[in-house]
Amino acid sequence: MRRGWKMALSGGLRCCRRVLSWVPVLVIVLVVLWSYYAYVFELCLVTVLSPAEKVIYLILYHAIFVFFAWTYWKSIFTLPQQPNQKFHLSYTDKERYENEERPEVQKQMLVDMAKKLPVYTRTGSGAVRFCDRCHLIKPDRCHHCSVCAMCVLKMDHHCPWVNNCIGFSNYKFFLQFLAYSVLYCLYIATTVFSYFIKYWRGELPSVRSKFHVLFLLFVACMFFVSLVILFGYHCWLVSRNKTTLEAFCTPVFTSGPEKNGFNLGFIKNIQQVFGDNKKFWLIPIGSSPGDGHSFPMRSMNESQNPLLANEEPWEDNEDDNRDYPEGSSSLAVETET
């Protein structure tokens, strides 16, 4: 009886957590809907008097708004990609691993299994990266998200504002969402500013639209500052071909820690996220190369370009055999929400 109550309570808490996880998304959606009403109706249709100015403002606004909403939708509803079946332990291997009591033998078993897989990263102690929750050998750049309760390919962080784990399958969409969010806020702020001045000087009548316009400028500027910092940080990560987790915890390879292990050069680093075809770079359509299980590495390109070898190695890393809780960084390591 007591066990049944505990299970029911645990299920209820999980349900409440799932519901509450949508609160940040709901807040963003409500702010965006209000900004749409304030800009389109209170500014363009009520405050702006010139018909030509109304048309120009509305056309440009809706062009930006469509891409902003589209990329936000894709960031939210593109599911994180998990490792395929060949990285999972077979039933027999799982039984052998769990029944083995000697840690050194368990480690050797994982080493033998990893030899058959394209896995080149290790834990800080040099062991094979193994997830004891999902029972799989982690592919390179894969991490376990404690909130999503799964291993995510090329995991960057878990973002509460999209209620989703950002990784290989949707990192491009997330970057585009940040870019169009910055553009959205900048466009609103620049077009509203002149009318803000007019209301401030009393050149326009003090009507209901005044408060929408004034608050619209304030909200746009506030979000612009925070978003441009976050977007700039992720642009830096892309330029170095790093994830947020790799920026805070240097990846360890079979040869040792290397902070630039995946750095292929500026152009190739961008192509690793957006693909080779530039016409898809601004459109939220999947174009990232590969399958998310393996990635080209710096060491494999040094023979072709010796200049890649001229950077300094990083200091030793901590053990990588862990998952990453939500909120482990103030920027984008809203990790594992």
Side-chain angles (χ1 to χ4, degrees):
M1 184 70 177
R2 184 177 300 175
R3 183 178 181 183
W5 276 106
K6 287 183 177 180
M7 292 179 64
L9 180 61
S10 177
L13 291 175
R14 283 196 300 269
C15 183
C16 290
R17 183 177 179 179
R18 284 195 295 268
V19 172
L20 291 175
S21 66
W22 285 100
V23 171
V25 176
L26 180 61
V27 170
I28 295 297
V29 170
L30 291 176
V31 171
V32 170
L33 290 176
W34 166 79
S35 71
Y36 184 91
Y37 166 79
Y39 191 89
V40 172
F41 292 95
E42 299 295 346
L43 177 70
C44 293
L45 299 183
V46 176
T47 305
V48 177
L49 299 178
S50 170
E53 192 175 356
K54 287 178 188 282
V55 172
I56 294 173
Y57 277 12
L58 288 172
I59 290 175
L60 293 176
Y61 173 82
H62 281 93
I64 297 172
F65 182 82
V66 166
F67 278 93
F68 165 72
W70 188 5
T71 54
Y72 190 44
W73 175 276
K74 293 284 284 186
S75 298
I76 295 173
F77 294 106
T78 301
L79 296 177
Q81 191 171 339
Q82 302 178 61
N84 62 31
Q85 197 59 40
K86 72 177 182 179
F87 288 87
H88 289 73
L89 298 189
S90 66
Y91 179 80
T92 303
D93 289 336
K94 181 181 175 182
E95 288 290 312
R96 286 175 51 219
Y97 182 83
E98 291 180 343
N99 292 332
E100 179 57 60
E101 297 181 355
R102 294 168 294 178
E104 64 278 4
V105 177
Q106 287 183 321
K107 285 186 178 182
Q108 187 57 46
M109 291 171 61
L110 294 178
V111 170
D112 295 337
M113 296 175 197
K115 290 178 181 178
K116 307 172 186 177
L117 300 170
V119 175
Y120 303 98
T121 54
R122 296 291 186 263
T123 66
S125 61
V128 173
R129 298 170 64 243
F130 177 72
C131 180
D132 55 5
R133 300 183 184 183
C134 301
H135 298 103
L136 58 82
I137 294 175
K138 296 179 184 178
D140 294 343
R141 316 185 84 174
C142 174
H143 297 275
H144 185 89
C145 176
S146 60
V147 179
C148 295
M150 66 174 72
C151 282
V152 178
L153 294 179
K154 197 186 176 184
M155 181 178 173
D156 187 87
H157 68 283
H158 187 104
C159 179
W161 301 108
V162 299
N163 191 29
N164 200 3
C165 208
I166 305 301
F168 175 77
S169 62
N170 59 358
Y171 186 58
K172 174 188 173 182
F173 307 143
F174 178 73
L175 279 174
Q176 291 173 325
F177 164 63
L178 292 180
Y180 287 118
S181 297
V182 169
L183 183 60
Y184 182 73
C185 293
L186 181 62
Y187 178 78
I188 289 178
T190 53
T191 53
V192 166
F193 184 73
S194 60
Y195 292 93
F196 168 81
I197 297 298
K198 290 179 180 180
Y199 276 122
W200 186 269
R201 292 176 177 176
E203 298 176 10
L204 292 174
S206 182
V207 293
R208 183 186 63 178
S209 298
K210 172 181 179 180
F211 300 100
H212 285 285
V213 171
L214 298 182
F215 196 56
L216 189 60
L217 178 64
F218 170 76
V219 173
C221 291
M222 180 183 66
F223 276 95
F224 173 78
V225 171
S226 58
L227 285 168
V228 79
I229 294 173
L230 183 58
F231 179 59
Y233 174 70
H234 277 278
C235 285
W236 176 80
L237 289 176
V238 171
S239 72
R240 306 303 296 269
N241 199 5
K242 292 183 178 183
T243 65
T244 299
L245 296 179
E246 290 166 355
F248 283 86
C249 189
T250 304
V252 179
F253 296 84
T254 52
S255 58
E258 175 53 66
K259 67 174 181 178
N260 293 313
F262 297 104
N263 190 346
L264 308 175
F266 183 74
I267 299 299
K268 289 185 179 180
N269 290 344
I270 294 177
Q271 291 173 341
Q272 282 295 298
V273 176
F274 294 96
D276 298 330
N277 197 332
K278 294 182 180 179
K279 69 181 181 182
F280 294 128
W281 283 13
L282 300 179
I283 305 174
I285 296 174
S287 59
S288 301
D291 60 2
H293 291 83
S294 60
F295 302 89
M297 292 182 295
R298 178 188 181 87
S299 59
M300 294 182 178
N301 289 271
E302 286 180 350
S303 60
Q304 300 175 6
N305 184 3
L307 294 177
L308 291 176
N310 290 338
E311 301 209 23
E312 298 177 0
W314 193 261
E315 58 269 14
D316 288 342
N317 189 21
E318 297 294 331
D319 196 335
D320 183 53
N321 192 17
R322 58 181 177 230
D323 55 5
Y324 294 82
E326 177 183 4
S328 57
S329 165
S330 60
L331 274 180
V333 190
E334 305 130 22
T335 313
E336 307 201 21
T337 305

